[in-house]
Amino acid sequence: VDNAAQSEERDALFSALQSTEDAEIAAAAQKAIWQSWMEAPDADAQALFDLGMRQMAQYDNVGAIEAFDELILYAPDFAEGWNQRAFAYFRMQKYEESLADIASTLQREPRHFGALSGKFRILMAQGRARLAQKTLRAAVEVNPWMMERRMLAPSDE
């Protein structure tokens, strides 16, 4: 995977996502962004990622976490490994572990609207509504088409 070309393509997709008024174009851009996020840096990383995703599909969160642990050790810069482990922790209601992995995801991919959405959901579950709204606002700036945008409260600033 050529990182420069992938990064350029992703920038174009985000730009389309933010500028289009066409729901179909937005949906296609979101799908393409997710696909690019799920492309691991090499075949070994992809195999670990795919294993973790299969575990997730079977709701084997513990097995998924084991696969993503291995993936993160092997390819620490691969943001989606952190994001999917965060999701597995979220499903187990291990919110602090999930938030830590979300922070690691966002460090590597600041525009990760999936991670931002997860952070929003955790903060809401923890009763941290103000911070949750701030997080959601940041997510909607990146992806104005997110389903969660309907949960934005009117700005109090």
Side-chain angles (χ1 to χ4, degrees), residues 7-85:
S7 171
E8 224 170 276
E9 184 184 326
R10 202 177 286 157
D11 288 347
L13 289 167
F14 272 104
S15 179
L17 194 55
Q18 290 164 348
S19 62
T20 189
E21 291 180 22
D22 183 323
E24 282 180 39
I25 291 172
Q30 286 183 85
K31 184 178 179 197
I33 289 166
W34 273 108
Q35 284 171 335
S36 80
W37 281 337
M38 292 192 176
E39 283 173 28
D42 64 34
D44 289 338
Q46 192 69 56
L48 286 168
F49 181 74
D50 293 344
L51 171 63
M53 294 303 285
R54 280 194 303 276
Q55 308 286 68
M56 291 289 282
Q58 295 163 8
Y59 288 88
D60 177 5
N61 296 311
V62 173
I65 287 168
E66 287 170 7
F68 295 134
D69 283 348
E70 216 175 312
L71 172 61
I72 287 164
L73 282 173
Y74 176 76
D77 294 331
F78 178 45
E80 200 55 31
W82 294 93
N83 185 54
Q84 291 298 329
R85 189 173 75 177

Side-chain angles (χ1 to χ4, degrees), residues 101-130:
D101 280 356
I102 287 169
S104 295
T105 303
L106 293 171
Q107 222 175 349
R108 291 158 178 81
E109 172 53 278
R111 299 177 295 190
H112 202 303
F113 50 82
L116 287 165
S117 168
K119 183 176 179 181
F120 162 73
R121 291 175 184 283
I122 291 169
L123 292 169
M124 286 300 288
Q126 292 178 329
R128 297 158 76 186
R130 281 183 71 102

Side-chain angles (χ1 to χ4, degrees), residues 125-146:
Q126 292 178 329
R128 297 158 76 186
R130 281 183 71 102
L131 191 54
Q133 284 294 318
K134 187 178 170 193
T135 301
L136 183 56
R137 240 187 303 283
V140 171
E141 261 175 52
V142 171
N143 178 4
W145 292 88
M146 290 177 66

